[in-house]
Tab-separated table of all heavy atoms in Angstrom:
chain	number	residue	atom	x	y	z
Y	1702	LEU	N	7.655	6.485	1.497
Y	1702	LEU	CA	8.763	5.944	2.284
Y	1702	LEU	C	10.037	6.744	2.045
Y	1702	LEU	O	10.764	7.089	2.989
Y	1702	LEU	CB	8.972	4.475	1.905
Y	1702	LEU	CG	10.065	3.695	2.634
Y	1702	LEU	CD1	9.660	3.447	4.072
Y	1702	LEU	CD2	10.325	2.366	1.925
Y	1703	VAL	N	10.317	7.063	0.797
Y	1703	VAL	CA	11.535	7.812	0.459
Y	1703	VAL	C	11.430	9.252	0.959
Y	1703	VAL	O	12.403	9.820	1.477
Y	1703	VAL	CB	11.780	7.773	-1.058
Y	1703	VAL	CG1	12.987	8.620	-1.432
Y	1703	VAL	CG2	11.969	6.340	-1.524
Y	1704	GLU	N	10.261	9.864	0.827
Y	1704	GLU	CA	10.095	11.245	1.272
Y	1704	GLU	C	10.313	11.382	2.775
Y	1704	GLU	O	10.823	12.396	3.249
Y	1704	GLU	CB	8.696	11.750	0.898
Y	1704	GLU	CG	8.516	12.036	-0.585
Y	1704	GLU	CD	7.148	12.614	-0.885
Y	1704	GLU	OE1	6.315	12.721	0.049
Y	1704	GLU	OE2	6.892	12.960	-2.049
Y	1705	ARG	N	9.947	10.342	3.539
Y	1705	ARG	CA	10.086	10.416	5.006
Y	1705	ARG	C	11.491	10.074	5.488
Y	1705	ARG	O	11.834	10.347	6.641
Y	1705	ARG	CB	9.079	9.466	5.662
Y	1705	ARG	CG	7.634	9.859	5.461
Y	1705	ARG	CD	6.715	9.009	6.322
Y	1705	ARG	NE	6.792	7.594	5.996
Y	1705	ARG	CZ	6.044	6.979	5.083
Y	1705	ARG	NH1	5.171	7.697	4.378
Y	1705	ARG	NH2	6.151	5.681	4.860
Y	1706	ALA	N	12.316	9.470	4.641
Y	1706	ALA	CA	13.663	9.060	5.055
Y	1706	ALA	C	14.556	10.286	5.269
Y	1706	ALA	O	14.311	11.365	4.719
Y	1706	ALA	CB	14.266	8.136	4.003
Y	1707	ARG	N	15.587	10.100	6.090
Y	1707	ARG	CA	16.555	11.168	6.363
Y	1707	ARG	C	17.899	10.780	5.745
Y	1707	ARG	O	18.512	9.805	6.158
Y	1707	ARG	CB	16.700	11.390	7.870
Y	1707	ARG	CG	15.435	11.906	8.527
Y	1707	ARG	CD	15.665	12.158	10.010
Y	1707	ARG	NE	14.467	12.681	10.657
Y	1707	ARG	CZ	14.393	13.002	11.944
Y	1707	ARG	NH1	15.468	12.828	12.724
Y	1707	ARG	NH2	13.267	13.476	12.453
Y	1708	PHE	N	18.304	11.552	4.744
Y	1708	PHE	CA	19.536	11.273	4.030
Y	1708	PHE	C	20.495	12.449	4.168
Y	1708	PHE	O	20.084	13.588	4.458
Y	1708	PHE	CB	19.262	11.034	2.542
Y	1708	PHE	CG	18.415	9.824	2.256
Y	1708	PHE	CD1	17.300	9.906	1.429
Y	1708	PHE	CD2	18.729	8.596	2.800
Y	1708	PHE	CE1	16.524	8.786	1.156
Y	1708	PHE	CE2	17.965	7.468	2.540
Y	1708	PHE	CZ	16.862	7.573	1.713
Y	1709	THR	N	21.763	12.189	3.919
Y	1709	THR	CA	22.779	13.246	3.881
Y	1709	THR	C	23.568	13.241	2.576
Y	1709	THR	O	24.110	14.274	2.194
Y	1709	THR	CB	23.771	13.085	5.059
Y	1709	THR	OG1	24.391	11.790	4.983
Y	1709	THR	CG2	23.046	13.228	6.400
Y	1710	ALA	N	23.660	12.099	1.894
Y	1710	ALA	CA	24.408	12.029	0.636
Y	1710	ALA	C	23.739	12.916	-0.411
Y	1710	ALA	O	22.508	12.880	-0.572
Y	1710	ALA	CB	24.492	10.589	0.145
Y	1711	PRO	N	24.500	13.736	-1.138
Y	1711	PRO	CA	23.894	14.655	-2.120
Y	1711	PRO	C	22.999	13.956	-3.141
Y	1711	PRO	O	21.936	14.489	-3.493
Y	1711	PRO	CB	25.121	15.297	-2.793
Y	1711	PRO	CG	26.186	15.227	-1.753
Y	1711	PRO	CD	25.962	13.940	-1.022
Y	1712	LEU	N	23.389	12.784	-3.625
Y	1712	LEU	CA	22.583	12.104	-4.627
Y	1712	LEU	C	21.240	11.659	-4.037
Y	1712	LEU	O	20.203	11.753	-4.706
Y	1712	LEU	CB	23.344	10.901	-5.189
Y	1712	LEU	CG	22.665	10.126	-6.324
Y	1712	LEU	CD1	22.311	11.049	-7.478
Y	1712	LEU	CD2	23.566	8.995	-6.817
Y	1713	LEU	N	21.241	11.198	-2.787
Y	1713	LEU	CA	19.988	10.795	-2.140
Y	1713	LEU	C	19.107	12.010	-1.872
Y	1713	LEU	O	17.874	11.932	-2.017
Y	1713	LEU	CB	20.287	10.048	-0.845
Y	1713	LEU	CG	21.058	8.739	-0.993
Y	1713	LEU	CD1	21.314	8.102	0.367
Y	1713	LEU	CD2	20.306	7.762	-1.898
Y	1714	LEU	N	19.710	13.133	-1.478
Y	1714	LEU	CA	18.928	14.361	-1.278
Y	1714	LEU	C	18.341	14.851	-2.601
Y	1714	LEU	O	17.225	15.367	-2.644
Y	1714	LEU	CB	19.823	15.444	-0.663
Y	1714	LEU	CG	20.293	15.179	0.774
Y	1714	LEU	CD1	21.274	16.261	1.218
Y	1714	LEU	CD2	19.105	15.106	1.729
Y	1715	GLN	N	19.097	14.669	-3.670
Y	1715	GLN	CA	18.595	15.051	-4.994
Y	1715	GLN	C	17.379	14.208	-5.368
Y	1715	GLN	O	16.414	14.724	-5.952
Y	1715	GLN	CB	19.717	14.866	-6.013
Y	1715	GLN	CG	19.359	15.232	-7.435
Y	1715	GLN	CD	20.528	14.996	-8.386
Y	1715	GLN	OE1	21.697	15.117	-8.002
Y	1715	GLN	NE2	20.217	14.645	-9.622
Y	1716	ILE	N	17.406	12.914	-5.034
Y	1716	ILE	CA	16.260	12.049	-5.299
Y	1716	ILE	C	15.055	12.502	-4.485
Y	1716	ILE	O	13.931	12.567	-5.000
Y	1716	ILE	CB	16.628	10.587	-4.968
Y	1716	ILE	CG1	17.647	10.056	-5.983
Y	1716	ILE	CG2	15.387	9.702	-4.951
Y	1716	ILE	CD1	18.226	8.706	-5.628
Y	1717	GLN	N	15.266	12.837	-3.214
Y	1717	GLN	CA	14.164	13.338	-2.395
Y	1717	GLN	C	13.595	14.631	-2.954
Y	1717	GLN	O	12.368	14.819	-2.975
Y	1717	GLN	CB	14.638	13.552	-0.958
Y	1717	GLN	CG	14.703	12.278	-0.131
Y	1717	GLN	CD	15.006	12.563	1.325
Y	1717	GLN	OE1	15.854	13.397	1.636
Y	1717	GLN	NE2	14.325	11.874	2.217
Y	1718	ASP	N	14.469	15.533	-3.407
Y	1718	ASP	CA	13.993	16.799	-3.977
Y	1718	ASP	C	13.135	16.558	-5.211
Y	1718	ASP	O	12.141	17.262	-5.441
Y	1718	ASP	CB	15.183	17.693	-4.337
Y	1718	ASP	CG	15.879	18.247	-3.102
Y	1718	ASP	OD1	15.261	18.226	-2.019
Y	1718	ASP	OD2	17.045	18.689	-3.214
Y	1719	ALA	N	13.517	15.575	-6.012
Y	1719	ALA	CA	12.735	15.276	-7.217
Y	1719	ALA	C	11.328	14.808	-6.865
Y	1719	ALA	O	10.392	14.984	-7.659
Y	1719	ALA	CB	13.450	14.212	-8.049
Y	1720	LEU	N	11.160	14.213	-5.677
Y	1720	LEU	CA	9.849	13.698	-5.265
Y	1720	LEU	C	9.020	14.723	-4.505
Y	1720	LEU	O	7.795	14.592	-4.425
Y	1720	LEU	CB	10.034	12.449	-4.393
Y	1720	LEU	CG	10.700	11.252	-5.079
Y	1720	LEU	CD1	10.944	10.138	-4.071
Y	1720	LEU	CD2	9.836	10.742	-6.222
Y	1721	SER	N	9.663	15.711	-3.914
Y	1721	SER	CA	8.917	16.647	-3.061
Y	1721	SER	C	9.015	18.094	-3.511
Y	1721	SER	O	8.532	18.986	-2.820
Y	1721	SER	CB	9.423	16.532	-1.613
Y	1721	SER	OG	10.814	16.779	-1.538
Y	1722	ALA	N	9.653	18.350	-4.661
Y	1722	ALA	CA	9.836	19.734	-5.114
Y	1722	ALA	C	8.503	20.401	-5.423
Y	1722	ALA	O	8.288	21.568	-5.111
Y	1722	ALA	CB	10.747	19.766	-6.343
Y	1723	GLN	N	7.576	19.660	-6.034
Y	1723	GLN	CA	6.260	20.222	-6.343
Y	1723	GLN	C	5.338	20.047	-5.140
Y	1723	GLN	O	5.486	19.131	-4.349
Y	1723	GLN	CB	5.627	19.544	-7.568
Y	1723	GLN	CG	6.378	19.776	-8.867
Y	1723	GLN	CD	7.550	18.825	-9.026
Y	1723	GLN	OE1	7.514	17.719	-8.506
Y	1723	GLN	NE2	8.589	19.254	-9.714
Y	1724	GLN	N	4.391	20.940	-5.041
Y	1724	GLN	CA	3.374	20.835	-3.997
Y	1724	GLN	C	2.003	20.760	-4.641
Y	1724	GLN	O	1.687	21.582	-5.490
Y	1724	GLN	CB	3.456	22.039	-3.039
Y	1724	GLN	CG	4.717	22.069	-2.211
Y	1724	GLN	CD	4.854	20.854	-1.317
Y	1724	GLN	OE1	3.842	20.342	-0.803
Y	1724	GLN	NE2	6.081	20.377	-1.129
Y	1725	PRO	N	1.140	19.799	-4.250
Y	1725	PRO	CA	1.416	18.739	-3.286
Y	1725	PRO	C	2.560	17.823	-3.761
Y	1725	PRO	O	2.862	17.771	-4.944
Y	1725	PRO	CB	0.101	17.962	-3.210
Y	1725	PRO	CG	-0.931	18.865	-3.783
Y	1725	PRO	CD	-0.225	19.705	-4.793
Y	1726	SER	N	3.152	17.117	-2.823
Y	1726	SER	CA	4.309	16.277	-3.123
Y	1726	SER	C	3.913	15.092	-3.992
Y	1726	SER	O	2.723	14.802	-4.194
Y	1726	SER	CB	4.928	15.765	-1.819
Y	1726	SER	OG	4.039	14.854	-1.184
Y	1727	ALA	N	4.925	14.386	-4.479
Y	1727	ALA	CA	4.672	13.223	-5.331
Y	1727	ALA	C	3.836	12.178	-4.595
Y	1727	ALA	O	2.952	11.548	-5.188
Y	1727	ALA	CB	5.997	12.617	-5.784
Y	1728	TYR	N	4.102	11.991	-3.305
Y	1728	TYR	CA	3.341	10.994	-2.531
Y	1728	TYR	C	1.862	11.350	-2.511
Y	1728	TYR	O	0.996	10.495	-2.785
Y	1728	TYR	CB	3.896	10.918	-1.113
Y	1728	TYR	CG	3.039	10.101	-0.177
Y	1728	TYR	CD1	2.960	8.715	-0.310
Y	1728	TYR	CD2	2.308	10.711	0.837
Y	1728	TYR	CE1	2.169	7.959	0.539
Y	1728	TYR	CE2	1.517	9.966	1.690
Y	1728	TYR	CZ	1.452	8.592	1.544
Y	1728	TYR	OH	0.662	7.856	2.384
Y	1729	LEU	N	1.532	12.602	-2.189
Y	1729	LEU	CA	0.119	13.015	-2.118
Y	1729	LEU	C	-0.534	12.942	-3.493
Y	1729	LEU	O	-1.705	12.550	-3.611
Y	1729	LEU	CB	0.022	14.423	-1.549
Y	1729	LEU	CG	0.495	14.580	-0.098
Y	1729	LEU	CD1	0.427	16.038	0.335
Y	1729	LEU	CD2	-0.357	13.700	0.827
Side-chain angles (χ1 to χ4, degrees):
L1702 181 70
V1703 176
E1704 287 184 356
R1705 294 189 299 271
R1707 295 182 179 181
F1708 296 130
T1709 58
L1712 184 55
L1713 297 179
L1714 292 175
Q1715 181 181 329
I1716 291 171
Q1717 280 187 318
D1718 289 342
L1720 297 174
S1721 57
Q1723 295 82 29
Q1724 293 299 325
S1726 68
Y1728 170 71
L1729 296 177

